[in-house]
Amino acid sequence: MQIAIEVGPVPAEARARLEAAGHAVHCHGDQWRVIVDARVIGQTSVRSQAHVIAHDLVHDFGLTALSSPPAIALRDPDGALDVAGTEVMLDGVRRSYDPDPLDQPGPHWWQRHMELGLGERKR
Protein backbone atom coordinates (compact mmCIF):
# COMPACT_ATOMS: atom_id res chain seq x y z
CA MET A 1 0.00 0.00 0.00
CA GLN A 2 1.06 3.59 -0.43
CA ILE A 3 0.45 6.14 2.29
CA ALA A 4 0.42 9.88 1.62
CA ILE A 5 0.99 11.81 4.84
CA GLU A 6 0.11 15.50 4.93
CA VAL A 7 2.83 17.44 6.74
CA GLY A 8 4.13 20.97 7.13
CA PRO A 9 7.13 22.23 5.17
CA VAL A 10 9.89 19.61 5.04
CA PRO A 11 13.41 20.93 5.74
CA ALA A 12 16.09 20.07 3.16
CA GLU A 13 17.95 17.82 5.64
CA ALA A 14 14.79 15.84 6.46
CA ARG A 15 13.91 15.63 2.76
CA ALA A 16 17.35 14.14 1.97
CA ARG A 17 16.95 11.57 4.78
CA LEU A 18 13.43 10.68 3.64
CA GLU A 19 14.55 10.16 0.04
CA ALA A 20 17.57 8.13 1.21
CA ALA A 21 15.13 5.90 3.12
CA GLY A 22 13.14 5.31 -0.09
CA HIS A 23 10.26 7.70 0.59
CA ALA A 24 9.10 10.45 -1.75
CA VAL A 25 8.38 14.07 -0.84
CA HIS A 26 5.94 16.12 -2.91
CA CYS A 27 5.31 19.84 -2.62
CA HIS A 28 2.37 21.51 -4.37
CA GLY A 29 2.30 25.18 -3.46
CA ASP A 30 2.13 25.25 0.32
CA GLN A 31 1.00 21.61 0.68
CA TRP A 32 3.57 18.96 1.53
CA ARG A 33 3.07 15.22 1.34
CA VAL A 34 5.37 12.35 2.17
CA ILE A 35 4.65 9.18 0.19
CA VAL A 36 5.55 5.90 1.89
CA ASP A 37 5.36 2.38 0.45
CA ALA A 38 4.44 -0.17 3.13
CA ARG A 39 3.38 -3.78 3.36
CA VAL A 40 0.08 -4.72 4.94
CA ILE A 41 0.81 -6.86 7.96
CA GLY A 42 -1.57 -9.44 9.37
CA GLN A 43 -5.27 -9.02 9.97
CA THR A 44 -5.06 -5.60 11.64
CA SER A 45 -6.99 -2.75 10.05
CA VAL A 46 -5.10 -1.22 7.12
CA ARG A 47 -6.03 2.28 8.28
CA SER A 48 -4.72 1.53 11.79
CA GLN A 49 -1.45 0.28 10.33
CA ALA A 50 -1.18 3.40 8.17
CA HIS A 51 -1.72 5.68 11.17
CA VAL A 52 1.03 3.90 13.12
CA ILE A 53 3.42 4.21 10.17
CA ALA A 54 2.53 7.90 9.73
CA HIS A 55 3.03 8.63 13.43
CA ASP A 56 6.41 6.85 13.44
CA LEU A 57 7.56 8.64 10.29
CA VAL A 58 6.59 12.07 11.61
CA HIS A 59 8.44 11.33 14.85
CA ASP A 60 11.54 9.71 13.32
CA PHE A 61 12.15 12.41 10.71
CA GLY A 62 11.14 15.38 12.84
CA LEU A 63 8.26 16.41 10.59
CA THR A 64 5.35 18.63 11.54
CA ALA A 65 1.94 16.98 11.35
CA LEU A 66 -0.84 19.41 10.44
CA SER A 67 -3.42 17.47 12.42
CA SER A 68 -3.58 14.91 15.17
CA PRO A 69 -3.54 12.13 14.10
CA PRO A 70 -1.69 13.01 10.90
CA ALA A 71 -3.97 13.23 7.86
CA ILE A 72 -3.32 10.29 5.54
CA ALA A 73 -4.52 8.99 2.21
CA LEU A 74 -4.26 5.35 1.20
CA ARG A 75 -3.60 3.95 -2.24
CA ASP A 76 -3.37 0.33 -3.26
CA PRO A 77 -1.28 0.19 -6.44
CA ASP A 78 -1.56 -3.62 -6.72
CA GLY A 79 -5.31 -3.69 -6.18
CA ALA A 80 -5.05 -6.48 -3.59
CA LEU A 81 -6.91 -4.52 -0.92
CA ASP A 82 -9.53 -3.43 -3.44
CA VAL A 83 -10.19 -7.06 -4.39
CA ALA A 84 -10.49 -8.11 -0.74
CA GLY A 85 -12.79 -5.17 0.03
CA THR A 86 -14.94 -5.92 -2.99
CA GLU A 87 -15.26 -9.56 -1.93
CA VAL A 88 -16.45 -8.50 1.53
CA MET A 89 -18.95 -6.06 0.03
CA LEU A 90 -20.29 -8.63 -2.46
CA ASP A 91 -20.61 -11.20 0.31
CA GLY A 92 -22.73 -8.70 2.26
CA VAL A 93 -24.92 -8.06 -0.79
CA ARG A 94 -25.33 -11.79 -1.36
CA ARG A 95 -26.32 -12.34 2.26
CA SER A 96 -28.86 -9.54 2.11
CA TYR A 97 -30.75 -11.54 -0.56
CA ASP A 98 -30.62 -14.82 1.40
CA PRO A 99 -33.85 -15.79 3.10
CA ASP A 100 -34.09 -14.92 6.78
CA PRO A 101 -33.16 -18.08 8.71
CA LEU A 102 -35.59 -17.16 11.51
CA ASP A 103 -38.47 -16.69 9.09
CA GLN A 104 -39.02 -20.35 8.28
CA PRO A 105 -42.15 -21.17 6.36
CA GLY A 106 -44.57 -23.09 8.49
CA PRO A 107 -48.20 -23.36 9.39
CA HIS A 108 -49.98 -20.23 10.50
CA TRP A 109 -51.27 -19.98 14.06
CA TRP A 110 -54.80 -20.92 13.06
CA GLN A 111 -53.50 -23.98 11.22
CA ARG A 112 -51.67 -25.12 14.35
CA HIS A 113 -54.84 -24.71 16.41
CA MET A 114 -56.76 -26.85 13.92
CA GLU A 115 -54.05 -29.55 14.09
CA LEU A 116 -54.28 -29.60 17.88
CA GLY A 117 -58.05 -29.65 17.81
CA LEU A 118 -58.32 -26.27 19.48
CA GLY A 119 -60.04 -24.57 16.62
CA GLU A 120 -63.10 -26.83 16.37
CA ARG A 121 -66.51 -25.47 17.28
CA LYS A 122 -68.57 -27.23 19.88
CA ARG A 123 -72.10 -28.06 18.79
Side-chain angles (χ1 to χ4, degrees):
M1 78 174 151
Q2 286 184 337
I3 307 167
I5 307 163
E6 190 173 307
V7 295
V10 178
E13 178 267 329
R15 184 176 189 155
R17 286 188 7 216
L18 283 163
E19 289 174 350
H23 309 306
V25 179
H26 295 285
C27 176
H28 301 286
D30 61 347
Q31 295 180 335
W32 291 79
R33 289 199 171 83
V34 176
I35 310 298
V36 178
D37 288 323
R39 261 183 348 113
V40 176
I41 301 169
Q43 298 296 321
T44 309
S45 162
V46 172
R47 185 159 290 281
S48 296
Q49 291 179 47
H51 277 291
V52 169
I53 291 167
H55 180 269
D56 290 347
L57 194 88
V58 166
H59 179 267
D60 293 346
F61 289 92
L63 303 173
T64 303
L66 300 180
S67 61
S68 180
I72 61 170
L74 298 175
R75 182 173 171 262
D76 181 21
D78 300 328
L81 298 176
D82 294 336
V83 169
T86 302
E87 288 175 358
V88 168
M89 182 192 67
L90 289 176
D91 187 52
V93 169
R94 181 193 54 79
R95 288 176 186 234
S96 70
Y97 285 101
D98 286 349
D100 185 357
L102 299 177
D103 188 24
Q104 296 294 324
H108 296 285
W109 65 269
W110 67 84
Q111 292 169 326
R112 286 193 183 145
H113 283 302
M114 295 300 285
E115 290 172 1
L116 297 174
L118 301 173
E120 297 176 6
R121 290 186 174 178
K122 293 185 181 178
R123 292 184 190 203

